[in-house]
Amino acid sequence: MMSATGVEKVCGACSKQGRDLKKCAACTSVWYCGVDCQRAHRAVHRRACKRKEKELEAAADFLDRDRQLTAAIQHLSIDEKNDDDALFQPCPKPECPVCMLPLPNSNGASVFMACCGAMVCGGCMNEMDRVINEENRNRVEQSGRDHATLLKKCCPFCRDSVKFTDAEVIAQVEALMRKDNHEAFFQMAIDHDPHAATPFGSPQDSSKAFSLYIRAAELGSSDACYNLAHMYREGINVKADASKQIHYLKLAATGGCIAARHNLGHMELMAGMLESARKHLLISAAAGDRLSINDLFIMYKSGSLSKVAYQEALRAHQKSLDDEKSEQRERAALKHPEFMEKDPYQDNVPIPAFFRDGTEPSWA
């Protein structure tokens, strides 16, 4: 109820109205006349109060980590100017060893082969299955149902037979780990990571996953550096540390991780560091990242990016997508749409306040 002097509050226990009521110190969402009303309402309010208190703590923790992240971005960008030459150099995209085309950015469009450690595109996997199935149909027509003559599913790269049980696959991955194969360490890490996929069915263990990520990163896995950045961001098995998050994101971006490159650019954009954000986003956009195009569009509409630069970014982005296309991959996407990652890129990227209202930031 509104009054001439302000808003009158309502007691949660007795529904009395007034402007001198005291709010619950824990959840700050319910008002009381005094201690007696609060005690009388405790049985009703207890669960909602605890739930609201946890929500407020989570929101405060998120805002605190966000402030630390912004400060870390600005601090590290000043301290690491000497590394700019290496940091802003685009890396060639990894290729499928069978068709020699760049691997798609979508996680579901590539397959790790535990037999040889190769990352093979879904198009080559599907084509190999098609050829084997067609050959097996021909053999069945010629020799009847003699299954001894049928071909088994095999790796498109090394032609070794594909294992189907978790124990057999884990044994193959461990053999690659003994050879210091960084992709094998990374795959085993995400298998142990409770917050990631579990391709082999290993027990969930954040500590084990963290140590495997560290080893994979030491061997040169940019994806492991990206996941380590996420763990330091969320405080998973480690103390949340914005500086280490940025450190691992930069290692991942330098190693060719497109997602890490975009995250760096987006965070610097939100922190108001337009020059370094522009460099990162142009590189990730040229590698086929759609989210980077969205961020560059924000910069273009705000006047922070020229029309010519934005058009060049669009052309480079489309060329990257065209380079990934093939008839085999299109057939695989039609046959197995459930394994193809859905487009996660929506036009709902957070827009900084100074872009929304059109005002010039103080640091521009």
Side-chain angles (χ1 to χ4, degrees):
M1 178 182 296
M2 294 295 297
S3 67
T5 58
V7 179
E8 289 194 354
K9 307 170 184 68
V10 180
C11 176
C14 66
S15 300
K16 179 182 176 181
Q17 297 179 357
R19 292 189 298 276
D20 298 329
L21 275 62
K22 307 297 182 182
K23 62 184 174 182
C24 175
C27 68
T28 68
S29 61
V30 179
W31 300 83
Y32 296 105
C33 299
V35 177
D36 293 338
C37 284
Q38 186 174 13
R39 288 175 179 172
H41 196 244
R42 181 171 298 168
V44 178
H45 179 57
R46 182 184 293 114
R47 290 187 178 180
C49 182
K50 289 183 178 179
R51 183 170 61 251
K52 183 66 175 179
E53 186 178 8
K54 289 182 179 179
E55 291 176 357
L56 291 173
E57 289 176 355
D61 179 64
F62 177 82
L63 291 175
D64 183 60
R65 287 189 285 120
D66 197 58
R67 285 192 292 267
Q68 293 179 11
L69 179 60
T70 300
I73 293 172
Q74 296 172 340
H75 178 71
L76 289 178
S77 295
I78 293 174
D79 290 348
E80 299 185 6
K81 285 183 177 179
N82 294 332
D83 298 335
D84 280 359
D85 291 341
L87 181 61
F88 293 112
Q89 288 296 323
C91 294
K93 295 183 68 174
E95 296 179 343
C96 172
V98 181
C99 64
M100 304 306 291
L101 294 176
L103 288 173
N105 292 332
S106 301
N107 293 330
S110 302
V111 182
F112 171 72
M113 306 307 301
C115 49
C116 57
M119 288 296 295
V120 179
C121 74
C124 291
M125 281 295 300
N126 181 71
E127 188 68 13
M128 175 60 72
D129 291 345
R130 187 189 66 80
V131 171
I132 291 176
N133 291 337
E134 184 176 347
E135 177 63 23
N136 285 337
R137 280 194 296 270
N138 294 334
R139 293 189 179 192
V140 167
E141 291 175 357
Q142 295 174 3
S143 60
R145 295 186 176 274
D146 184 6
H147 294 282
T149 64
L150 298 184
L151 298 175
K152 295 182 179 180
K153 184 176 181 179
C154 64
C155 171
F157 182 60
C158 70
R159 297 299 194 269
D160 191 8
S161 60
V162 174
K163 308 300 181 183
F164 291 98
T165 66
D166 290 341
E168 290 176 325
V169 174
I170 289 176
Q172 287 183 323
V173 175
E174 289 176 344
L176 291 173
M177 292 169 64
R178 289 191 289 271
K179 299 178 182 179
D180 285 342
N181 182 289
H182 69 80
E183 190 62 40
F185 274 96
F186 174 70
Q187 294 293 331
M188 188 62 75
I190 63 175
D191 194 44
H192 284 283
D193 191 347
H195 303 274
T198 55
F200 316 135
S202 298
Q204 304 296 282
D205 187 343
S206 295
S207 298
K208 180 70 173 178
F210 181 79
S211 62
L212 289 170
Y213 281 137
I214 289 291
R215 182 55 181 156
E218 291 172 348
L219 293 172
S221 172
S222 59
D223 291 328
C225 291
Y226 179 76
N227 283 15
L228 284 170
H230 174 72
M231 297 184 81
Y232 276 108
R233 161 68 178 174
E234 301 298 331
I236 301 173
N237 202 57
V238 291
K239 183 180 179 181
D241 190 325
S243 298
K244 288 186 178 180
Q245 178 196 356
I246 300 300
H247 170 71
Y248 279 109
L249 279 179
K250 289 191 173 184
L251 288 179
T254 304
C257 180
I258 305 305
R261 177 78 67 179
H262 164 262
N263 284 3
L264 280 174
H266 181 71
M267 289 187 296
E268 289 175 338
L269 173 62
M270 301 302 290
M273 304 170 61
L274 300 185
E275 182 59 27
S276 55
R278 181 184 63 81
K279 293 179 180 180
H280 281 305
L281 294 173
L282 287 175
I283 293 174
S284 54
D289 184 72
R290 173 69 184 278
L291 279 175
S292 299
I293 291 293
N294 290 346
D295 283 340
L296 290 172
F297 177 73
I298 292 173
M299 297 185 70
Y300 165 64
K301 295 296 288 185
S302 69
S304 303
L305 184 71
S306 68
K307 182 178 181 179
V308 173
Y310 182 57
Q311 290 175 335
E312 291 178 354
L314 289 174
R315 284 192 289 266
H317 173 77
Q318 188 59 49
K319 182 179 183 303
S320 177
L321 297 181
D322 291 340
D323 291 343
E324 296 175 2
K325 293 179 180 179
S326 71
E327 293 183 4
Q328 295 178 354
R329 293 181 181 180
E330 290 176 0
R331 285 197 295 267
L334 292 174
K335 184 177 180 180
H336 302 289
E338 67 276 12
F339 296 116
M340 297 300 162
E341 187 178 45
K342 294 182 180 179
D343 185 8
Y345 308 124
Q346 305 295 332
D347 295 329
N348 58 354
V349 181
I351 302 176
F354 57 83
F355 287 160
R356 289 196 298 267
D357 58 25
T359 60
E360 285 292 330
S362 59
W363 33 260

